[in-house]
Amino acid sequence: MKRLLKIWWREIRLFSKRPMMLTLLFVAPIVLLLFFVSLMSDGLPKDLPAGLVDEDNTQITRTIVRTLDAMEQTEVMNHRYASVSEARDAMQRGEIYAFLHIPAGTTEKALAQRQPRLAFYTNQSYLVAGSLLMRDLRTASELAGMAISRSTFLAKGMTDDQAMAAIRPIVIEAHPIGNSVLDYSVYLSNIIVPGCLLIFVLLFTSYTLGLEWKYGKQRKLYNMAGQSTTIAVIGKIAPQTVVFSLMMLLYDVVFYRYLGFPCHCSLLEIWSVGILSILAAQAFAVFVFGLLQGHMRMAMSICSLWGIVSISISGCSFPVMAMDPILQAASWLFPLRHYYLIYVAVALHDWSIMSVWTSVVALLCFMLLPVLSTPMLRNAFLHAVYKP
Amino acid sequence: MRFLSDIYKVWSFEFRNILRDSGVILFALIVPLAYPLLYAFIYNNETIREVPVAVVDEADSQLSRRFVRMLDATADVKVAARALSMEEAEELNRTGMTYGTIRIPAEFDKQLARGEQTTIGVYADMAGMLYYKALMLSSTNVSLELNKEIKAERFYTGATDRQLEIAAQPVEYFDVALFNPKGGFAAFLLPAVLMLILQQTLMLSIGMTGGETRERYAGRVLPPRPEFDNTLAVLLGKTLIYFPLYMIEALYMFYFVSDLFTLPMLGSVVDYVLFMIPYILSCIFMAITFSSFIFRREDCIMLYVFMSLPLLFISGISWPGTAVPEFWKVVSWIFPSTFALNGYVRIHSMGATLSQVEPEFIGLWVQTIVYMVFAAIFYHKVARKAESERLATEDK
């Protein structure tokens, strides 16, 4: 214990002498948080630019445009494109994400019950914008048809309710469980930001360990730890665990208290999951560092590649169930995947932690990894020298 | 002549350095070649199909069963289980068997028979936005189809098919998903990731060699050799290493990766190559400029790696550019990736010509020039210092 305290004190002194490291440790995670929170502060992107090719230009087509413009996600550009190819050109220039084509004679056909045809084009290369606009354009087109049906039924002497029931006997009602406003920030920020922190943890762990070798101080550390690899490593990284855990707490407070993201569990519970994931990431980095016998840059490279992939393979944007079976199995090897699964169960839904006990066990298993590479790490402490 | 031989000396010195350096080989060669394949593998299925749902059919009538059958027949949704209550359905959701629930109310047929509206509830697991999208789209489509039939039966008995069609849908509409007809994830995200990989690995490679030189020559970014005194020769020599390599990698991404994973590809290779020239140049000069902050070779991994995600989001691909706050938009202009990601997606996936990506193209050239000036000033200062130190030692 005395040894641990001594190493910790040494760590704090080391850090205070390296301003870049302090900045990285304290400023970078906060900048990340501010970045993602401010980027998605609207929840859903608003007023996405859409174009209009109105060859008909009557009262009815103007009504469609007004309906569309009133929708929160859509903003119809003032400029009217003369033809579909002109609008397509504007799309290729990146000025609009979608456009609606109202062919000449639409109103006339509608009045004569000859079923006019609207077309809308969405740019799915920008998937988020394209999908949101497609939804709005579809609704607007549907409403246009309904308005005509409605007037027909009203003319037959139906009440408003009856007319609606006649037009749409069955309606679909959406119940998004856990994120009722479809806030993108809720489903991206609170995984990506901790995810970036975990990348950071992986890197920082292998970086600070490696610096011991780089400056040839590894033997000194080893001796300070009474020639115990375990004490040396714990002494080295425990102060960082404290800082990272506080960052995670800050994230949790901002997300679940300040921004009011859905959280069915207590702050303490979700924070514990965060700490568990931080420990798992640190353990993974120590494991890799040991396996590579203290080859600092290689360890950092592997940690960075691992960390970057973990964001994709966590399944927070593209579901793991749709990936190849090999990748579904591989997803177990990423701490962030387990953080995500536990978060979904206990915070997003009100499920008990038992429903995701496998992920909890997996995170605990990560913490045992360094035990496997301890002999190699000891060897590194005794014999390895820094290799650039 | 002296100038050309200086360039060659710088070039060959750097080249030998890189060949010896497994770290740079990893980031400049292996990552740009292998990482796209890994990402393509992850997103290869493009969309989610057959999202398993539970059905709570309280009506259990002919029509409600038909709804369920039709939903099951859609590509995106699979009826994986029938539950007797919402609690039971939630239990299925909890065990990961299903990702949503469809609830048909008990009064489904009664309401329809009375000519009232009836409501089918779609409960989607919001752990991912795609589950919700698949469930809502499929059930809405099925409901529209059924509505059409119900209306035909009620109001238009004896009408012709065409009359029914018109009555059911007075205004027809069709949607065209341009440039990514499947609405796939790989076709959307991968092009952006490819461009980002180019920038990030260049930053890492040049940052690492810079850090390495500093470590080897006591804090100097350039080796103390006479050919490194000529700033222009140094810039050219370094550029001539990375530029050809990265142009080849860019072509590899344009052809091989897109082909292997059948990504939409409409663009012309000439426009693409012309667009890549300022992108790779600006990345090289930015990497040199930023390497003035790198003192240890490993520092750049620390600094650059976790920037990748914010750079992807700030560029306007993952998150629509029009929704990026003004402040971050200005910040994004610091990085060539912002222009390149958009330009590449538009040229490669959407078949835009060079003139259609003019603002991005100009932006990249401006960055090339600005960063080249910064890089030149940085190297010039270093070289002058080295020169005066050498003179000082000679004087003694």
Side-chain angles (χ1 to χ4, degrees):
Chain A
M1 200 58 217
K2 235 167 111 188
R3 293 200 169 107
L4 270 180
L5 284 174
K6 257 166 98 184
I7 299 176
W8 286 339
W9 179 239
R10 170 176 177 264
E11 278 303 300
I12 293 166
R13 278 212 327 269
L14 275 178
F15 269 94
S16 59
K17 273 188 256 166
R18 291 177 188 155
M20 193 197 97
M21 229 134 98
L22 278 178
T23 321
L24 267 178
L25 192 57
F26 286 97
V27 179
I30 293 174
V31 171
L32 267 176
L33 176 71
L34 291 178
F35 172 74
F36 279 104
V37 166
S38 65
L39 186 73
M40 295 190 229
S41 56
D42 279 344
L44 270 175
K46 291 199 175 79
D47 297 331
L48 298 166
L52 185 71
V53 185
D54 187 358
E55 292 168 350
D56 201 41
N57 201 19
T58 62
Q59 187 57 39
I60 291 185
T61 66
R62 282 194 291 274
T63 313
I64 300 178
V65 176
R66 261 207 309 281
T67 317
L68 201 53
D69 221 3
M71 294 180 167
E72 213 175 0
Q73 264 84 59
T74 311
E75 163 137 343
V76 179
M77 304 290 279
N78 284 326
H79 179 75
R80 296 281 181 266
Y81 301 99
S83 64
V84 169
S85 64
E86 199 183 289
R88 194 173 185 274
D89 176 71
M91 199 188 260
Q92 283 175 321
R93 287 177 187 280
E95 289 158 8
I96 49 175
Y97 293 117
F99 60 90
L100 177 68
H101 177 213
I102 306 176
T106 297
T107 306
E108 201 189 308
K109 274 189 182 170
L111 294 176
Q113 303 214 337
R114 277 178 21 235
Q115 205 184 28
R117 203 168 192 211
L118 303 177
F120 49 87
Y121 301 78
T122 50
N123 183 356
Q124 298 290 330
S125 284
Y126 291 78
L127 196 65
V128 174
S131 308
L132 287 170
L133 281 175
M134 187 194 271
R135 200 181 66 183
D136 278 5
L137 284 161
R138 213 182 131 115
T139 312
S141 308
E142 194 66 36
L143 286 174
M146 271 166 59
I148 293 171
S149 298
R150 195 168 147 266
S151 50
T152 324
F153 283 118
L154 289 179
K156 286 183 184 165
M158 283 188 179
T159 64
D160 249 348
D161 279 353
Q162 285 169 330
M164 277 317 287
I167 297 164
R168 274 191 155 179
I170 302 170
V171 287
I172 299 292
E173 196 175 59
H175 299 271
I177 312 168
N179 182 2
S180 52
V181 286
L182 306 182
D183 189 328
Y184 265 72
S185 203
V186 166
Y187 106 107
L188 282 179
S189 293
N190 53 2
I191 296 301
I192 287 187
V193 178
C196 286
L197 184 70
L198 291 185
I199 297 180
F200 202 67
V201 171
L202 285 170
L203 284 173
F204 213 78
T205 309
S206 41
Y207 179 67
T208 45
L209 276 176
L211 284 182
E212 293 292 328
W213 273 262
K214 185 161 183 138
Y215 292 122
K217 301 250 177 74
Q218 78 276 24
R219 283 301 283 275
K220 201 180 154 209
L221 174 66
Y222 189 64
N223 291 332
M224 272 179 88
Q227 318 212 315
S228 154
T229 317
T230 318
I231 290 180
V233 169
I234 292 178
K236 188 78 197 163
I237 64 177
Q240 298 168 21
T241 315
V242 174
V243 178
F244 291 136
S245 300
L246 289 176
M247 287 296 166
M248 199 57 109
L249 180 63
L250 174 74
Y251 292 173
D252 289 337
V253 169
V254 169
F255 289 146
Y256 305 113
R257 288 294 174 268
Y258 179 65
L259 293 173
F261 287 0
C263 183
H264 286 288
C265 60
S266 69
L267 205 59
L268 191 67
E269 283 172 86
I270 190 75
W271 187 37
S272 315
V273 180
I275 295 176
L276 206 58
S277 308
I278 288 170
L279 289 170
Q282 285 184 316
F284 181 81
V286 171
F287 171 67
V288 170
F289 193 82
L291 267 193
L292 294 167
Q293 310 236 353
H295 193 320
M296 171 190 195
R297 204 204 47 246
M298 212 52 199
M300 285 183 78
S301 304
I302 288 179
C303 284
S304 59
L305 301 178
W306 206 264
I308 292 283
V309 170
S310 73
I311 303 271
S312 302
I313 214 164
S314 73
C316 71
S317 58
F318 188 71
V320 170
M321 64 162 261
M323 292 177 196
D324 192 277
I326 299 172
L327 292 168
Q328 293 188 17
S331 72
W332 280 80
L333 304 175
F334 296 82
L336 186 64
R337 168 72 180 155
H338 301 292
Y339 178 80
Y340 167 74
L341 287 175
I342 302 174
Y343 151 79
V344 167
V346 301
L348 193 64
H349 303 307
D350 192 11
W351 299 342
S352 89
I353 190 99
M354 286 314 290
S355 63
V356 282
W357 66 273
T358 42
S359 285
V360 179
V361 171
L363 285 179
L364 292 171
C365 286
F366 273 102
M367 285 185 229
L368 293 177
L369 279 179
V371 177
L372 297 178
S373 69
T374 303
M376 283 170 266
L377 195 56
R378 175 172 301 124
N379 195 30
F381 266 116
L382 294 173
H383 306 296
V385 286
Y386 171 77
K387 288 182 284 257
Chain B
M1 228 24 239
R2 164 84 202 279
F3 182 59
L4 286 181
S5 83
D6 275 356
I7 293 178
Y8 175 73
K9 278 186 203 157
V10 172
W11 185 87
S12 63
F13 182 83
E14 287 284 316
F15 193 64
R16 267 176 288 139
N17 257 349
I18 290 172
L19 285 185
R20 272 204 312 265
D21 193 329
S22 62
V24 178
I25 299 275
L26 177 72
F27 281 115
L29 202 65
I30 298 174
V31 171
L33 296 185
Y35 235 49
L37 303 183
L38 176 62
Y39 270 93
F41 188 38
I42 291 180
Y43 296 124
N44 193 23
N45 285 346
E46 295 275 10
T47 51
I48 48 170
R49 295 264 176 254
E50 304 277 334
V51 175
V53 294
V55 169
V56 181
D57 186 355
E58 291 166 4
D60 197 29
S61 65
Q62 213 180 341
L63 193 64
S64 71
R65 282 193 295 268
R66 208 164 114 69
F67 181 90
V68 174
R69 267 201 312 279
M70 283 167 76
L71 189 67
D72 197 20
T74 60
D76 294 356
V77 175
K78 186 178 81 184
V79 176
R82 272 153 224 277
L84 291 174
S85 64
M86 288 303 285
E87 288 75 35
E88 199 183 313
E90 204 195 325
E91 184 56 42
L92 289 166
N93 205 354
R94 207 188 331 249
T95 54
M97 280 268 294
T98 58
Y99 290 91
T101 305
I102 310 288
R103 178 174 171 269
I104 305 177
E107 56 276 21
F108 183 69
D109 287 84
K110 257 186 236 143
Q111 282 178 327
L112 285 176
R114 283 202 299 260
E116 289 169 11
Q117 240 173 357
T118 186
T119 310
I120 292 179
V122 172
Y123 300 78
D125 189 331
M126 293 309 289
M129 206 58 109
L130 290 182
Y131 303 129
Y132 174 78
K133 200 178 148 190
L135 278 182
M136 276 312 287
L137 211 63
S138 302
S139 35
T140 305
N141 285 344
V142 171
S143 79
L144 289 178
E145 193 58 37
L146 270 184
N147 282 345
K148 219 187 262 186
E149 288 178 22
I150 295 170
K151 270 191 273 186
E153 219 172 279
R154 273 192 205 161
F155 303 106
Y156 305 97
T157 34
T160 64
D161 281 354
R162 177 68 187 150
Q163 280 170 319
L164 283 179
E165 181 67 30
I166 294 173
Q169 202 179 18
V171 176
E172 198 189 1
Y173 58 87
F174 66 109
D175 58 77
V176 187
L178 284 172
F179 313 124
N180 177 9
K182 282 189 282 181
F185 226 78
F188 146 68
L189 204 55
L190 208 57
V193 169
L194 294 180
M195 287 300 107
L196 200 58
I197 288 174
L198 290 180
Q199 175 184 292
Q200 295 302 91
T201 55
L202 251 176
M203 300 258 288
L204 285 166
S205 307
I206 291 180
M208 279 214 284
T209 36
E212 208 245 325
T213 320
R214 246 192 233 265
E215 282 170 10
R216 196 169 344 145
Y217 301 104
R220 289 206 198 98
V221 195
L222 298 172
R225 288 157 164 264
E227 66 262 27
F228 281 89
D229 285 350
N230 187 335
T231 306
L232 208 56
V234 176
L235 279 183
L236 273 170
K238 287 203 178 217
T239 306
L240 281 176
I241 288 181
Y242 292 103
F243 185 74
L245 176 66
Y246 271 77
M247 278 313 259
I248 293 169
E249 286 170 3
L251 284 172
Y252 162 83
M253 289 170 175
F254 188 85
Y255 281 117
F256 185 73
V257 177
S258 306
D259 225 41
L260 192 62
F261 294 96
T262 56
L263 301 179
M265 187 169 104
L266 299 172
S268 111
V269 70
V270 178
D271 285 344
Y272 173 64
V273 168
L274 288 174
F275 186 76
M276 279 294 107
I277 292 171
Y279 179 46
I280 291 171
L281 286 178
S282 56
C283 285
I284 292 174
F285 296 136
M286 176 176 73
I288 293 174
T289 307
F290 280 21
S291 71
S292 60
F293 305 112
I294 305 289
F295 294 94
R296 284 178 290 256
R297 54 177 292 143
E298 293 82 3
D299 285 4
C300 58
I301 306 185
M302 231 25 260
L303 287 170
Y304 298 155
V305 167
F306 78 103
M307 270 166 51
S308 310
L309 256 120
L311 284 178
L312 186 66
F313 273 85
I314 215 174
S315 69
I317 306 284
S318 292
W319 190 246
T322 51
V324 174
E326 209 54 41
F327 173 77
W328 292 118
K329 211 171 275 179
V330 174
V331 171
S332 78
W333 294 334
I334 299 173
F335 302 96
S337 57
T338 304
F339 299 126
L341 263 58
N342 283 287
Y344 179 72
V345 169
R346 303 226 298 273
I347 291 177
H348 176 272
S349 312
M350 298 163 58
T353 58
L354 200 57
S355 69
Q356 286 174 315
V357 294
E358 201 180 87
E360 286 78 10
F361 190 58
I362 293 173
L364 286 175
W365 276 116
V366 171
Q367 284 176 333
T368 305
I369 291 163
V370 169
Y371 281 122
M372 190 171 69
V373 170
F374 278 142
I377 293 173
F378 168 51
Y379 276 170
H380 187 72
K381 272 191 173 163
V382 175
R384 283 296 80 78
K385 207 176 148 209
E387 203 177 37
S388 59
E389 276 171 20
R390 225 176 16 248
L391 287 175
T393 44
E394 276 167 24
D395 281 350
K396 279 176 201 165

